[in-house]
Amino acid sequence: MAKSLDKVLQPDGSYKWEEVEHITEAQQIVAACPAPELVEEPVKKEALVTQKETIADFEAMTKSQLETYGRTIGLELDKRHNKAELIAEIQKFTSAN
């Protein structure tokens, strides 16, 4: 690549004319911000627990929490029903699967 004449800042604060390699803006960005290295962490066996293996305490949950839980297992619940009916629907759905 062709060199160009440019003022370069010196350690003492003065400038000096030097011949420098021309660097495009994209090259400057790449040089200033290298991509982070990919670090693969080992998968923990505890993280592999599926949703069906967990036992939810439905009586301690609110109606909103029951509705959210139902969505995670693929069941759409209507919060207009009472809590006992929502729990019954979840239990019926989980026993069928």
Side-chain angles (χ1 to χ4, degrees):
M1 224 178 216
K3 292 186 175 185
S4 63
L5 192 59
D6 196 9
K7 287 195 317 185
V8 178
L9 180 62
Q10 302 297 311
D12 65 354
S14 64
Y15 286 94
K16 181 179 176 185
W17 289 99
E18 293 181 6
E19 284 188 4
V20 294
E21 289 287 332
H22 178 70
I23 300 176
T24 64
E25 188 174 333
Q27 291 171 331
Q28 290 174 348
I29 292 172
V30 170
C33 304
E37 293 183 22
L38 179 63
V39 178
E40 292 187 29
E41 296 180 10
V43 178
K44 296 180 181 178
K45 290 184 179 181
E46 296 88 28
L48 299 177
V49 175
T50 61
Q51 188 70 17
K52 290 183 180 180
E53 292 176 358
T54 59
I55 299 172
D57 183 17
F58 299 129
E59 294 296 328
M61 291 183 173
T62 63
K63 287 171 60 172
S64 295
Q65 290 171 332
L66 288 170
E67 182 184 31
T68 304
Y69 176 76
R71 286 185 181 151
T72 62
I73 61 172
L75 176 65
E76 188 65 32
L77 297 172
D78 188 356
K79 286 197 310 185
R80 292 178 288 185
H81 296 286
N82 64 28
K83 187 174 177 178
E85 290 174 355
L86 296 178
I87 292 171
E89 284 184 53
I90 291 173
Q91 290 173 340
K92 179 181 175 185
F93 182 80
T94 55
S95 65
N97 289 338

